[in-house]
Amino acid sequence: MQMNPVIAVHMTAALLAVATGPVALWARRGRTQRPRLHRAFGHAWVTLMLVTAVSALFIRDRSLPNLAGYTPIHLLVPVVLAMLFVSFRHLASGNIAGHRRTMQILYLAGCIVAGAFTLLPQRYLGQQLWGYASGLLPIVRNTPPWAWMLLASLVTAGLAQVRERTASLTRISVLPFTMLLFSLASAISAFGRSPVLPEALWLWAMAAAAMTALLAPGQSAARFDTATRSYRLPGSWLPLVLMVGIFGVRYTVAVRLALHPSLVMDTSFVLPVATLYGALSGIFLGRAARLWRLALPPQHVLAA
């Protein structure tokens, strides 16, 4: 199957639906309800699902068992339309539980199950994915084991930040400084032979990102207990995203330089990467600075 405008529209809408669906579902879960976020992403998701379903009617595939070009996966089109109708009928009648349950099932069937079918080797996305994976396999095989151990350690540390927890001043300071040193060491080890100064650019990007994160509007949800000298911290996925992001940049840069060593002299490659390294670690530092500020006496905060 070859790319054409209909497939492009269908695939774009489907991928966006996969991404927006969890946000809409998450906004109505837990003790903290986010109705505006739920409505915004919910409306977007329904629109994307309608575009995905309708565009699928104009895509024929004769490489799989079919009837006039319509394959078994096309049966999901009437299923999606019917479940959307049922879901909004529940909503109109005030049956919120039925609405939620129907949308959850629809996301599972319309995005996860249907998405799995698109990965078949005969389909366009499957062709691209398996072709890319076959080229990626030698790179993954030649990656040293310590790199995967480092990634596992970062993911473990990041997941520990997801839940509400209590931490001391020392504990909240260790992770930002560790990632700061990690990103700086990554920039130096990758571009130490570069004619430009990646360290200077890293420092500038880090400082700019740190100040932006520190001075961002809004109050921190964290609380500092002066009696115990400890913090009560809300859960956040951002540290995990930042840590995996820094690792991903380092891994990608290492692979690119191994395949094309001359890139170390290419300023159009060195400058954006050094900036990205600095910005990611700067966000870490700025978030930590917001917490350090909570431990200052009130007069120091006002003076700052």
Side-chain angles (χ1 to χ4, degrees), residues 89-167:
R89 188 175 64 178
H90 284 318
L91 190 61
S93 62
N95 184 359
I96 303 300
H99 171 74
R100 181 187 301 113
R101 184 171 56 253
T102 305
M103 284 300 197
Q104 290 171 344
I105 296 172
L106 179 56
Y107 180 80
L108 184 64
C111 292
I112 305 303
V113 175
F117 277 103
T118 65
L119 301 181
L120 291 172
Q122 300 94 327
R123 301 183 68 83
Y124 178 81
L125 196 58
Q127 291 173 356
Q128 301 301 311
L129 177 65
W130 295 115
Y132 178 75
S134 63
L136 191 63
L137 189 59
I139 296 174
V140 174
R141 187 184 296 124
N142 292 320
T143 300
W146 65 261
W148 302 124
M149 294 173 62
L150 175 60
L151 177 60
S153 300
L154 292 175
V155 170
T156 302
L159 290 175
Q161 314 289 313
V162 172
R163 293 188 175 185
E164 291 186 7
R165 64 201 184 281
T166 302

Side-chain angles (χ1 to χ4, degrees), residues 13-143:
L15 291 173
L16 289 174
V18 171
T20 56
V23 180
L25 295 173
W26 166 79
R28 277 297 190 184
R29 292 183 63 86
R31 289 175 296 179
T32 304
Q33 298 289 305
R34 301 168 178 83
R36 291 184 179 179
L37 185 66
H38 173 73
R39 284 194 295 270
F41 276 82
H43 292 160
W45 185 74
V46 169
T47 302
L48 291 167
M49 289 299 291
L50 287 172
V51 172
T52 302
V54 173
S55 61
L57 295 174
F58 299 93
I59 301 174
R60 310 289 182 90
D61 189 354
R62 301 185 187 276
S63 61
L64 296 173
N66 67 92
L67 180 63
Y70 291 109
T71 64
I73 196 174
H74 282 89
L75 294 174
L76 284 170
V77 173
V79 170
V80 167
L81 297 177
M83 292 192 72
L84 284 175
F85 173 78
V86 170
S87 175
F88 280 98
R89 188 175 64 178
H90 284 318
L91 190 61
S93 62
N95 184 359
I96 303 300
H99 171 74
R100 181 187 301 113
R101 184 171 56 253
T102 305
M103 284 300 197
Q104 290 171 344
I105 296 172
L106 179 56
Y107 180 80
L108 184 64
C111 292
I112 305 303
V113 175
F117 277 103
T118 65
L119 301 181
L120 291 172
Q122 300 94 327
R123 301 183 68 83
Y124 178 81
L125 196 58
Q127 291 173 356
Q128 301 301 311
L129 177 65
W130 295 115
Y132 178 75
S134 63
L136 191 63
L137 189 59
I139 296 174
V140 174
R141 187 184 296 124
N142 292 320
T143 300

Side-chain angles (χ1 to χ4, degrees), residues 1 9 103 124 141 190 196 237 250 296:
M1 183 178 293
V9 170
M103 284 300 197
Y124 178 81
R141 187 184 296 124
V196 298
W237 288 91
R250 174 163 185 157
L296 293 175

Side-chain angles (χ1 to χ4, degrees), residues 82 114 138 148 158 201 220 228 284-285:
W148 302 124
L201 188 59
S220 172
T228 61
F284 253 121
L285 187 62

